Amino acid sequence: MLAPAFPLVSERLRLRPYRADDLDALLALFGRADVSRYLNWEPMDREAATALLERRLKQTRIDGEGDGIVLVAAEPETDRFVGEVMLRLTSEVSRQGEVGWSISPDVQGRGYATEAAREMLRLGFGELGLHRIVAECDPRNEASIRVMEKLGMRREAHHLEAMFLKGEWVGSMVYAMLASEWPPA
């Protein structure tokens, strides 16, 4: 259904599939408590990062419902890993997808998440033919909310106490965009 030619290149980023030598960079990102704070897992150790990398190495195409593409976001001149970005097909029949991102706090605030996610929206609407793409985050994750708004996504829901995570009830903010709203004006 979707097997893009890599790398994808945006104004300041090169989006490429994971490689085996990305383990240390992946661990440096997801081993941080400030990164995993709003994710479904605790900070990763090397063993957990290795298992995640093994999954990421296979996430380069979408063949059916539930499949996702997860790419490294890197600075093109140096190939410095700045984070990752994801596009997943959540419903084939309804042509629904989801986009997500994790960017290193060391480079946050530079627009990298917005730029990488915009490229994934382009893939989803332009190449995969999706009708609707959502993004979701913890309501306390103000940086991700700003990214969704900069992308032109519309706030659709604020679920209160939607899941029990890391010993507390947390909510969920859901933003979405329709193919008819892409690209935003």
Side-chain angles (χ1 to χ4, degrees), residues 35 38-39 99-103 108 113-114 117 135-151 153 173-175:
V35 172
Y38 301 122
L39 299 174
V99 65
W101 52 85
S102 293
I103 300 295
Q108 284 179 2
T114 304
E136 188 174 352
C137 74
D138 185 308
R140 299 169 296 178
N141 190 343
E142 295 174 6
S144 279
I145 291 169
R146 281 193 304 274
V147 169
M148 292 183 270
E149 291 172 349
K150 286 179 189 174
L151 289 167
M153 299 181 93
M173 297 293 288
V174 179
Y175 280 69

Side-chain angles (χ1 to χ4, degrees), residues 118 150-152 177 180-185:
R118 187 175 291 120
K150 286 179 189 174
L151 289 167
M177 178 179 280
S180 62
E181 299 169 317
W182 176 259

Side-chain angles (χ1 to χ4, degrees), residues 6-10 13-17 71-74 85 116 119-120:
F6 297 116
L8 305 176
V9 180
S10 64
L13 293 173
R14 191 168 149 261
L15 306 178
R16 61 163 176 81
L71 301 174
V72 168
V85 64
E119 185 62 17
M120 299 311 269

Side-chain angles (χ1 to χ4, degrees), residues 6-105:
F6 297 116
L8 305 176
V9 180
S10 64
E11 183 180 335
R12 298 171 303 145
L13 293 173
R14 191 168 149 261
L15 306 178
R16 61 163 176 81
Y18 272 91
R19 301 183 307 239
D21 66 350
D22 288 320
L23 177 60
D24 289 336
L26 186 68
L27 178 59
L29 178 66
F30 291 124
R32 293 178 66 143
D34 55 346
V35 172
S36 68
R37 177 178 181 200
Y38 301 122
L39 299 174
N40 294 334
W41 58 72
E42 296 294 334
M44 293 186 174
D45 59 17
R46 183 168 280 287
E47 182 179 337
T50 300
L52 179 61
L53 179 60
E54 288 173 10
R55 291 191 304 275
R56 295 291 192 252
L57 290 169
K58 300 172 188 168
Q59 295 176 304
T60 60
R61 58 185 297 126
I62 294 175
D63 291 316
E65 194 168 301
D67 288 348
I69 294 173
V70 184
L71 301 174
V72 168
E75 294 174 335
E77 313 81 40
T78 61
D79 197 42
R80 180 172 84 143
F81 182 108
V82 299
E84 71 172 29
V85 64
M86 175 273 297
L87 174 67
R88 183 175 53 202
L89 178 62
T90 57
S91 173
E92 199 168 331
V93 170
S94 299
R95 297 179 12 240
Q96 306 282 308
E98 179 183 12
V99 65
W101 52 85
S102 293
I103 300 295
S104 171

